[in-house]
């Protein structure tokens, strides 16, 4: 599928067949690889429906030598109050221990895929407190 068609599918309210999301998720993952400057592994979807998806994502291997930095997270496409949002939530680990911002019960590093003319782009939203406990006990 062409970049133009993948972008158009991404910003369509609903797709006819949920399996049409897989090429879109691969496309977003490839763009995330470029944005992060890291290899990103797209895992099996945890949710796939007519109006969105959630796929697991993770780094291919630890980076930064003795720091042994790893990450895992979720690539999502959801509709909230009629507005389509595409996000990646990353949970970071060092030496297999989850990292978090002081004062947070858990932290995720949030990215947003913004629609632009022609092709969207990833941007950093920053660290967010895991107020719902979604990543408690997460593993790399």
């Amino acid at each position: 599928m062409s970049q133009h068609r993948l972008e158009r599918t991404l910003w369509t309210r609903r797709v006819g067949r949920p399996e049409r999301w897989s090429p879109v998720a691969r496309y977003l993952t490839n763009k995330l690889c470029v944005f992060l400057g890291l290899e990103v592994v797209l895992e099996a979807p945890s949710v796939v429906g007519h109006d969105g998806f959630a796929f697991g994502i993770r780094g291919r291997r630890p980076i930064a030598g003795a720091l042994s930095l790893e990450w895992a997270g979720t690539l999502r496409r959801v509709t909230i109050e009629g507005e389509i949002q595409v996000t990646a939530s990353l949970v970071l680990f060092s030496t297999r221990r989850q990292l978090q911002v002081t004062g947070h019960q858990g932290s995720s590093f949030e990215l947003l895929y913004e629609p632009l003319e022609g092709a969207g782009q990833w941007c950093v939203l920053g660290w967010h407190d895991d107020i719902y406990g979604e990543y408690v006990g997460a593993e790399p």
Side-chain angles (χ1 to χ4, degrees), residues 26-39:
R26 284 191 300 274
Y27 168 73
L28 289 167
T29 300
N30 290 337
K31 292 193 76 163
L32 187 57
C33 285
V34 172
F35 183 74
L36 294 174
L38 298 169
E39 291 181 73

Side-chain angles (χ1 to χ4, degrees), residues 13-72:
R13 292 271 175 229
R14 292 172 57 89
V15 295
R17 296 184 325 267
E19 59 272 12
R20 289 190 61 199
W21 289 125
S22 289
V24 172
R26 284 191 300 274
Y27 168 73
L28 289 167
T29 300
N30 290 337
K31 292 193 76 163
L32 187 57
C33 285
V34 172
F35 183 74
L36 294 174
L38 298 169
E39 291 181 73
V40 178
V41 175
L42 180 65
E43 298 180 331
S46 53
V47 176
V48 176
H50 291 285
D51 58 357
F53 58 77
F55 283 80
I57 53 175
R58 63 179 172 78
R60 183 161 306 281
R61 65 182 71 79
I63 59 171
L67 292 175
S68 188
L69 297 175
E70 297 177 87
W71 62 272

Side-chain angles (χ1 to χ4, degrees), residues 69-92:
L69 297 175
E70 297 177 87
W71 62 272
T74 307
L75 172 66
R76 288 186 194 87
R77 193 271 194 194
V78 297
T79 303
I80 298 174
E81 296 180 6
E83 197 168 316
I84 297 168
Q85 292 184 357
V86 179
T87 61
S89 301
L90 311 180
V91 179
L92 280 72

Side-chain angles (χ1 to χ4, degrees), residues 87-108:
T87 61
S89 301
L90 311 180
V91 179
L92 280 72
F93 304 86
S94 176
T95 61
R96 308 214 38 98
R97 294 179 64 179
Q98 189 171 341
L99 303 176
Q100 65 187 47
V101 175
T102 301
H104 287 190
Q105 68 178 25
S107 301
S108 61

